[in-house]
Amino acid sequence: AQRVTQPEKLLSVFKGAPVELKCNYSYSGSPELFWYVQYSRQRLQLLLRHISRESIKGFTADLNKGETSFHLKKPFAQEEDSAMYYCALSGRLRSGYSTLTFGKGTMLLVSP
Amino acid sequence: DGGITQSPKYLFRKEGQNVTLSCEQNLNHDAMYWYRQDPGQGLRLIYYSQIVNDFQKGDIAEGYSVSREKKESFPLTVTSAQKNPTAFYLCASNGQGKDEQFFGPGTRLTVL
């Protein structure tokens, strides 16, 4: 069974401080992992995926298969980063579609 | 304006009543999903559909029903059998072979 664990419900930092939102997963196959973000009064949207290896809004995430982790990092937090962040694992179905298993989410609060 | 729409934004229901939440998409996506979002619980999959006239139960399908008569529409009915229906409901969709899911704005259901 696939599982995603986000150990922190809330992470509170000051503007300019480094941020790391933790995500660990369990999956028997080759994982595809994502970070989704939900800003206040906005819909849930994709932030980044491990396959693309890109940096979005200054955030990066590296898949570590040995530690089964996909932590989200940003060197200098901004107030506009305050949001709910969800780590998600994709489970491919035989049909070619996939379902997502989400972690419970981490609320990031960046104070001025 | 392309995307996923959900209606209504807020819904109130008396105990013992069934209620149907609407989800429509004009993205030409084959797959559609319903999630339930509760504080501290993350997103949990209720039902999903990969093609018209076909759907599968997710992790928490009990007390819910769906239909998929048209590609664009995937309504969710919350029945009186659902023991704890007050929650925020999110609809999503994606295309075949695409892992990124696109989310609607959500419907907040409150049972009085």
Side-chain angles (χ1 to χ4, degrees):
Chain A
Q2 55 195 62
R3 188 182 184 95
V4 176
T5 303
Q6 293 180 251
E8 303 137 330
K9 284 187 180 179
L10 173 66
L11 186 62
S12 185
V13 302
F14 288 105
K15 178 182 173 181
V19 168
E20 181 178 67
L21 287 79
K22 291 183 168 37
C23 172
N24 288 90
Y25 67 91
S26 63
Y27 186 60
S28 56
S30 183
E32 293 189 38
L33 286 143
F34 306 83
W35 277 98
Y36 278 79
V37 61
Q38 192 171 31
Y39 300 103
S40 179
R41 294 192 177 85
Q42 293 187 29
R43 62 182 70 191
L44 192 65
Q45 58 188 286
L46 179 68
L47 179 62
L48 54 80
R49 67 188 83 191
H50 90 269
I51 289 177
S52 60
R53 291 183 157 272
E54 56 191 344
S55 172
I56 304 291
K57 298 185 179 182
F59 284 98
T60 59
D62 290 318
L63 178 62
N64 186 323
K65 290 187 179 180
E67 295 183 359
T68 59
S69 68
F70 188 57
H71 304 326
L72 184 67
K73 299 177 184 179
K74 184 169 183 176
F76 308 104
Q78 303 299 315
E79 289 180 68
E80 55 265 30
D81 296 328
S82 295
M84 179 68 84
Y85 291 80
Y86 292 98
C87 184
L89 173 66
S90 175
R92 179 72 65 186
L93 303 169
R94 269 180 279 179
S95 62
Y97 291 98
S98 60
T99 60
L100 288 175
T101 299
F102 285 86
K104 293 186 177 182
T106 298
M107 173 65 79
L108 174 64
L109 290 177
V110 182
S111 306
Chain B
D1 185 22
I4 303 177
T5 57
Q6 291 184 243
S7 61
K9 190 173 181 180
Y10 299 97
L11 191 55
F12 296 89
R13 187 195 92 177
K14 291 183 181 178
E15 263 191 60
Q17 289 181 337
N18 291 356
V19 64
T20 297
L21 284 61
S22 168
C23 177
E24 305 276 333
Q25 54 96 3
N26 61 4
L27 300 169
N28 200 34
H29 286 165
D30 290 311
M32 297 185 74
Y33 309 81
W34 274 106
Y35 295 91
R36 173 182 169 136
Q37 187 179 29
D38 296 282
Q41 294 292 321
L43 278 75
R44 292 179 290 170
L45 183 64
I46 304 172
Y47 266 99
Y48 63 100
S49 168
Q50 299 169 67
I51 198 167
V52 174
N53 293 323
D54 188 48
F55 47 82
Q56 285 78 38
K57 293 182 179 179
D59 300 318
I60 55 165
E62 187 176 347
Y64 299 98
S65 66
V66 293
S67 63
R68 188 83 187 280
E69 296 177 3
K70 298 186 300 182
K71 187 177 184 177
E72 302 80 19
S73 178
F74 191 40
L76 173 75
T77 297
V78 184
T79 75
S80 57
Q82 167 51 232
K83 293 185 176 16
N84 189 18
T86 294
F88 191 57
Y89 291 87
L90 286 171
C91 180
S93 71
N94 66 355
Q96 188 175 24
K98 305 291 185 185
D99 289 304
E100 179 182 358
Q101 291 184 13
F102 293 85
F103 285 81
T107 292
R108 186 166 297 282
L109 172 64
T110 302
V111 175
L112 304 172

